[in-house]
């Protein structure tokens, strides 16, 4: 089975290449915001779930599967209820000496400071991925191997169906052993929950058999909008607003991807959170208690978005 590709194109190309929906990463609050935007637009008469291709990265991969299997209104209603700590994503375990201080609630392996330091020492995006993957594999080797099973169960519980939907979905990840981009779809031979768990793996690498995978946001940027190349109309929902920790010169920023799409003939519309709600994302993205506020913030955008997106999408 070959699920790894460095190509910018999905594993299998559908006959219809009209409308593509890009759902970017953004943690727990980002997922709720995506659901809010999609539900609000659905209520306003704009159904983004009819896309010919949906590209999901990290939190966006969960949203991609959720909107393919459930009514956006039901998903939105669920997002308005903050999950209990038991429902939250489990922290990636780190092997620690018996005499060490207790581990923090969110381990350093997924901390922003670690990523910033690694970016500062990297020559380019490929070098950054290599360094990130090498570090992640060291952590994996030191772990007891139980985290992947725990994370898989958490992800599976978020899905109404464990089967790949009929709609065309591509989920992004990174092969931790080769540092190469990976694309999963229903032809990959990988379970849907495993593909999503891999795409959301920002701590330890997620294990699928002997393979190890990291978060799809490490492929290029949190959106991976370049995968919509060749589609006539593209809508990009980005909880992080296109921001990136990487230097602009690396060419991985969302703006560079959008320029390339438009140069190739695609018409593109983007949706970002309002400035006054940015505190819900970034460092706070993994705070599940902020999910209701993030969902409401996304839903509240619909009245201003619908007049622009309705003629674009219909």
């Amino acid at each position: 089975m070959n699920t790894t590709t460095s190509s910018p194109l999905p594993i299998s190309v559908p006959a219809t290449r009209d409308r593509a929906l890009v759902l970017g990463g953004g943690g727990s609050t980002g997922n709720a915001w995506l659901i809010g935007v999609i539900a609000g637009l659905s209520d306003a008469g704009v159904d983004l779930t009819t896309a010919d291709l949906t590209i999901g990265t990290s939190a966006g991969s969960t949203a991609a599967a959720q909107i393919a299997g459930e009514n956006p209104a039901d998903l939105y209603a669920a997002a308005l209820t903050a999950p209990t700590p038991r429902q939250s994503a489990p922290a990636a375990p780190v092997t620690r000496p018996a005499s060490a201080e207790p581990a923090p609630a969110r381990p350093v392996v997924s901390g922003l400071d670690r990523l910033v330091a690694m970016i500062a020492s990297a020559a380019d995006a490929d070098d950054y991925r290599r360094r990130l993957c090498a570090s992640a594999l060291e952590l994996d080797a030191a772990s007891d191997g139980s985290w992947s099973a725990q994370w898989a169960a958490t992800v599976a519980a978020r899905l109404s169906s464990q089967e790949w939907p009929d709609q065309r979905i591509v989920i992004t990840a990174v092969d931790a052993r080769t540092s190469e981009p990976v694309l999963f779809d229903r032809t990959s031979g990988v379970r849907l929950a495993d593909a999503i768990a891999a795409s959301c793996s920002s701590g330890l690498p997620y294990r699928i058999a002997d393979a190890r995978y990291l978060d799809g946001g490490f492929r290029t940027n949190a959106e991976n909008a370049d995968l919509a190349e060749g589609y006539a109309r593209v809508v990009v929902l980005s909880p992080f607003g296109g921001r990136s920790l990487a230097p602009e010169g690396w060419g991985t920023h969302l703006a560079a991807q959008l320029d390339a799409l438009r140069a190739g003939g695609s018409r593109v519309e983007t949706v970002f959170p309002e400035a006054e709600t940015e505190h819900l994302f970034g460092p706070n993205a993994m705070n599940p208690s902020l999910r209701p506020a993030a969902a409401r913030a996304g839903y509240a955008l619909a009245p201003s978005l619908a007049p622009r997106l309705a003629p674009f999408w219909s």
Side-chain angles (χ1 to χ4, degrees):
M1 175 185 69
N2 181 11
T3 61
T4 303
T5 177
S6 57
S7 167
L9 295 177
I11 299 169
S12 61
V13 179
T16 302
R17 306 188 71 192
D18 183 13
R19 297 178 297 180
L21 174 64
V22 178
L23 303 179
S28 182
T29 59
N31 171 266
W33 180 84
L34 292 169
I35 294 300
V37 172
I38 293 167
L41 285 172
S42 178
D43 287 347
V46 183
D47 187 1
L48 294 182
T49 70
T50 59
D52 301 301
L53 168 69
T54 301
I55 298 161
T57 294
S58 198
S61 70
T62 306
Q66 289 172 322
I67 65 172
E70 297 181 64
N71 187 298
D74 294 336
L75 291 169
Y76 178 60
L80 294 179
T81 302
T84 64
R86 181 173 295 183
Q87 292 174 296
S88 304
V94 179
T95 300
R96 302 171 59 84
S99 60
E101 293 293 326
R106 192 67 180 171
V108 176
V109 295
S110 59
L112 288 177
D113 290 344
R114 170 176 169 267
L115 300 182
V116 169
M118 201 169 294
I119 288 171
S121 63
D124 53 28
D126 290 339
D127 185 34
Y128 169 52
R129 277 204 312 272
R130 285 191 293 269
R131 291 168 182 262
L132 185 69
C133 290
S135 175
L137 289 176
E138 290 179 3
L139 293 168
D140 181 62
S143 73
D144 64 7
S146 64
W147 176 76
S148 289
Q150 298 169 22
W151 186 222
T154 298
V155 170
R158 296 171 176 169
L159 307 177
S160 63
S161 172
Q162 304 303 307
E163 302 297 324
W164 285 89
D166 292 334
Q167 295 95 322
R168 172 71 178 155
I169 293 177
V170 168
I171 293 174
T172 65
V174 171
D175 187 321
R177 288 180 168 164
T178 67
S179 74
E180 290 296 317
V182 176
L183 305 178
F184 295 113
D185 71 0
R186 63 173 175 259
T187 71
S188 301
V190 170
R191 293 190 317 144
L192 176 62
D194 281 331
I196 295 171
S199 189
C200 296
S201 180
S202 59
L204 286 175
Y206 181 74
R207 300 181 177 189
I208 301 179
D210 293 332
R212 303 288 186 271
Y213 298 101
L214 283 181
D215 197 292
F218 298 131
R219 176 186 171 271
T220 53
N221 202 37
E223 298 83 17
N224 290 299
D226 60 303
L227 294 174
E229 178 184 358
Y231 281 77
R233 293 175 285 173
V234 182
V235 171
V236 180
L237 307 187
S238 173
F240 286 152
R243 295 186 300 276
S244 175
L245 297 174
E248 190 173 353
W250 285 5
T252 58
H253 283 211
L254 176 60
Q257 298 176 40
L258 300 183
D259 287 344
L261 287 175
R262 290 175 175 130
S266 298
R267 297 163 56 205
V268 184
E269 293 284 351
T270 58
V271 179
F272 302 151
E274 296 280 12
E276 59 268 25
T277 65
E278 288 182 359
H279 66 282
L280 299 171
F281 310 101
N284 293 319
M286 298 309 299
N287 185 343
S289 69
L290 297 178
R291 282 180 57 82
R296 291 189 187 96
Y299 189 91
L301 289 173
S304 63
L305 295 175
R308 169 165 58 98
L309 292 183
F312 178 82
W313 196 251
S314 60

